[in-house]
Amino acid sequence: MICTLCKTSTLRYGTLCSTCTTDTLAHLHRLPRMWAALEDWLTPGVKGGAQYGGRVRQAEAPLPLDAEVLTLRAAGGITGILEDWRDAVRDARDLPEEERIGSLAHRVAFAANYLAGQIHFIALWEQGPQLGREVRQLVERVERHVQPALPEEKRRPEFLGHCIAVDPSGVICGARIPLVLDRPVQCEWCLCPYPPETWLQLRFFQPGLTHVDTAGDLAAA
Ligand SMILES: [Zn+2]
Ligand SMILES: [Zn+2]
């Protein structure tokens, strides 16, 4: 029998091959963070990158909202699809009912964690390949929207900015902070964390083209 998700691996048992099982688990782990990252694409003035050329650009006229991003973020989007699958697994296993309560952020994380915890069942389940396919499609839909193939100047920067952490001797770190969506953003040099709520502040303090001079001024202040 062939794995019906990747259609390449031969199965000795179950419905998902080990690669597809691992991939599905990885997608489930990524989705809550991806869901959260979509918020940036709903914030007027941020889309397209705030600081090309090292200059902070203030929010301008609100940009039209991306309908697909709204759909993915809404209750029926990533959240609802994961919750429907959670309920299907729960039904199939006769497990206690789970209510859809709390914030969407909580519900996404809860449903994704629930399914991740059932991955061994899912790999043997007749509906496992369909679950794996839908979870992969969600990840692909988010990726299409958070990293669209736009001209260079319109694309979101691949790095968030320069690290503004100051060490005990007053020296600014200044390392480039890569923009990643699948794990917490952190300066790879000094390990200063940059959760999404700090990004605007980080952009505001970007030294930009006069990085060295400004860093000197700030360090001296
Ligand atoms: Zn497979
Ligand atoms: Zn740093």
Side-chain angles (χ1 to χ4, degrees):
M1 197 176 139
I2 300 282
C3 169
T4 55
L5 183 50
C6 63
K7 297 188 169 64
T8 46
S9 301
T10 308
L11 290 172
R12 274 178 297 159
Y13 55 85
T15 54
L16 282 178
C17 71
S18 59
T19 306
C20 288
T21 305
T22 311
D23 287 352
T24 301
L25 187 60
H27 292 151
L28 287 169
H29 284 143
R30 287 180 71 192
L31 275 169
R33 199 170 295 286
M34 295 184 97
W35 179 89
L38 283 173
E39 180 164 14
D40 218 20
W41 273 260
L42 296 175
T43 313
V46 172
K47 188 175 181 175
Q51 44 103 29
Y52 260 97
R55 234 169 261 276
V56 175
R57 198 188 309 145
Q58 296 303 317
E60 289 151 13
L63 293 159
L65 293 175
D66 186 324
E68 168 81 338
V69 172
L70 281 174
T71 306
L72 285 163
R73 281 276 300 193
I78 297 172
T79 312
I81 291 170
L82 292 180
E83 285 178 334
D84 285 350
W85 277 113
R86 182 199 62 200
D87 289 350
V89 168
R90 197 207 64 216
D91 279 348
R93 304 205 70 186
D94 242 341
L95 293 167
E97 197 162 326
E98 302 287 348
E99 281 187 74
R100 302 187 179 197
I101 46 169
S103 65
L104 282 181
H106 169 80
R107 285 169 54 185
V108 169
F110 186 78
N113 278 338
Y114 188 100
L115 290 170
Q118 296 288 335
I119 195 70
H120 297 289
F121 169 77
I122 291 165
L124 303 172
W125 189 32
E126 59 195 7
Q127 296 200 55
Q130 185 59 26
L131 185 157
R133 195 171 297 118
E134 288 190 18
V135 163
R136 185 182 64 199
Q137 282 165 357
L138 281 178
V139 168
E140 287 168 354
R141 279 171 70 189
V142 175
E143 282 177 338
R144 261 202 303 280
H145 280 265
V146 298
Q147 202 63 270
L150 291 172
E152 175 66 26
E153 69 274 11
K154 290 202 175 161
R155 208 188 306 151
R156 188 178 170 79
E158 278 141 25
F159 81 107
L160 204 54
H162 293 280
C163 179
I164 54 174
V166 182
D167 78 6
S169 65
V171 175
I172 289 183
C173 170
R176 281 165 66 100
I177 302 161
L179 178 65
V180 290
L181 297 172
D182 55 351
R183 58 182 188 275
V185 175
Q186 188 178 34
C187 172
E188 288 175 349
W189 181 250
C190 74
L191 304 182
C192 176
Y194 287 97
E197 59 268 24
T198 66
W199 292 358
L200 278 179
Q201 194 192 10
L202 177 72
R203 284 171 182 160
F204 183 78
F205 285 112
Q206 282 309 289
L209 294 174
T210 55
H211 176 66
V212 176
D213 299 344
T214 320
D217 291 348
L218 285 175

